[in-house]
Amino acid sequence: MNIETKVVVAGKDLIADGVVSLTLRAAGGEPLPRWQPGAHIDLLLGDTGLVRQYSLCGDPADTTVWRVAVLREPDGRGGSAWVHDRLDVGTEMSARGPRNHFPFTGGQRCLFIAGGIGITPLLPMVEAADRAGTEWRLIYGGRSRASMAFLGELARYGDRVTVRPQDETGLLDLDDLFREPHELVYSCGPEPLLAAVEERCTGGTLRVERFTPTSIEGPETAFEVELAQSGLTVSVPPGTSVLDAVTAAGVQVLSSCGEGTCGTCETVVLDGVPEHRDSILTEEEREAADYMMICVSRSRTPRLVLEL
């Protein structure tokens, strides 16, 4: 969903080294849009012009508040520094969503693997699995205990949660984890962790959520895009994204990351075969070719027809 909601910061707390938790309420006091585990929202960061995506990590049943957690990224592009240093309780801002490209579908045996701030989308999944009586385990790695958010909340699950600070136990032993089968595996964290999980998860179903784009390269050939709703046909030359070409033609499309990781620009494909270069869609979704992220993906056919 691309619903835009005015929210106010009702709480801001330092919950781990370099991690703050934000509690958001609707500025008008109305119920917030509902969401399911795995969802995220876009926060429009005041007068900076920056838009950042944060996973919702509170209670999906509570429509009075949203909770997100933000890691300070010293080498980032300024969004996390603005949240940590300039965002105050009482500040109003706009939020878009929720949007969910990392849905929790349940299962009989679930393995959750979190790295650092990647714990955030997994928190409500763990709660949902526990309430449903699902057999599950969570492996949570981080640089140190002090840097790992939500350890107190996770303690109530006992030995179903394994905490592995790198400075105490080293890197996660993924080979040991995958010696037994799991019906569903959900993982979120830094790219080296996700790549290692993908390499080892040869059975069952794996779902991952990335914070940074995967490197997908290919030939940059020209093609045409027909915009079914606008009645326009737009040429997309090499080196130009579909999003940029469509925007230049005067058709406005919501977008955010520009890297194929957030899903804001997801667009319905009516005809043609997209060349997916995003970091969101599953292999099944890519083969179905019903949607594409027009900020990065291109076309395998000379012409695409999009619902724009």
Side-chain angles (χ1 to χ4, degrees):
M1 291 192 300
N2 283 318
I3 297 173
E4 188 161 312
T5 305
K6 289 291 185 182
V7 296
V8 61
V9 180
K12 180 181 178 181
D13 301 287
L14 185 67
I15 57 173
D17 286 351
V19 181
V20 294
S21 171
L22 302 179
T23 302
L24 307 172
R25 295 185 183 274
E30 68 275 12
L32 291 163
R34 292 186 175 275
W35 58 281
Q36 296 297 320
H40 70 267
I41 56 173
D42 301 340
L43 283 184
L44 284 64
L45 304 183
D47 58 0
T48 66
L50 300 174
V51 181
R52 294 293 182 266
Q53 293 74 44
Y54 299 112
S55 297
L56 291 165
C57 54
D59 179 2
D62 187 353
T63 60
T64 65
V65 296
W66 283 336
R67 183 179 69 170
V68 299
V70 182
L71 170 69
R72 179 188 285 275
E73 297 279 4
D75 300 322
R77 295 176 292 174
S80 66
W82 188 88
V83 170
H84 277 253
D85 299 336
R86 295 179 53 194
L87 188 61
D88 298 317
V89 171
T91 300
E92 289 192 12
M93 64 179 68
S94 293
R96 290 200 296 252
R99 190 178 302 108
N100 199 340
H101 290 283
F102 188 41
F104 176 64
T105 58
Q108 295 307 305
R109 287 176 57 84
C110 292
L111 174 64
F112 302 102
I113 305 174
I117 199 63
I119 189 61
T120 51
L122 300 184
L123 273 180
M125 293 188 187
V126 164
E127 175 64 19
D130 200 61
R131 286 181 179 175
T134 299
E135 184 178 350
W136 63 271
R137 290 179 63 196
L138 166 64
I139 312 300
Y140 181 14
R143 298 189 314 275
S144 65
R145 287 183 187 273
S147 70
M148 299 170 71
F150 304 114
L151 291 182
E153 292 186 27
L154 291 168
R156 65 191 177 96
Y157 297 116
D159 60 6
R160 285 192 171 192
V161 176
T162 302
V163 177
R164 288 286 182 264
Q166 187 176 343
D167 61 350
E168 297 178 20
T169 62
L171 296 174
L172 297 180
D173 188 348
L174 297 179
D175 291 330
D176 182 62
L177 282 180
F178 287 104
R179 286 197 177 97
E180 57 181 279
H182 299 276
E183 183 178 317
L184 292 170
V185 180
Y186 296 88
S187 187
C188 185
E191 183 57 32
L193 170 64
L194 298 183
V197 169
E198 288 176 326
E199 181 181 343
R200 290 163 175 80
C201 189
T202 56
T205 300
L206 171 66
R207 294 302 302 264
V208 302
E209 182 166 66
R210 286 182 155 86
F211 298 137
T212 56
T214 53
S215 178
I216 302 176
E217 298 180 354
E220 292 280 323
T221 56
F223 56 96
E224 288 189 336
V225 174
E226 179 182 337
L227 311 181
Q229 294 180 347
S230 305
L232 299 175
T233 297
V234 177
S235 295
V236 183
T240 299
S241 69
V242 175
L243 176 63
D244 287 343
V246 167
T247 301
V251 178
Q252 296 303 308
V253 181
L254 281 179
S255 63
S256 181
C257 70
E259 298 177 325
T261 59
C262 75
T264 304
C265 69
E266 181 180 75
T267 301
V268 174
V269 179
L270 299 175
D271 195 22
V273 182
E275 179 185 303
H276 297 290
R277 298 187 181 185
D278 64 274
S279 303
I280 299 173
L281 298 176
T282 64
E283 287 305 315
E284 292 79 8
E285 291 168 333
R286 291 170 187 267
E287 290 177 7
D290 295 327
Y291 303 90
M292 67 182 291
M293 309 304 158
I294 63 173
C295 65
V296 292
S297 296
R298 300 188 67 79
S299 181
R300 296 185 182 277
T301 51
R303 189 181 186 90
L304 286 176
V305 182
L306 302 181
E307 193 176 67
L308 288 174

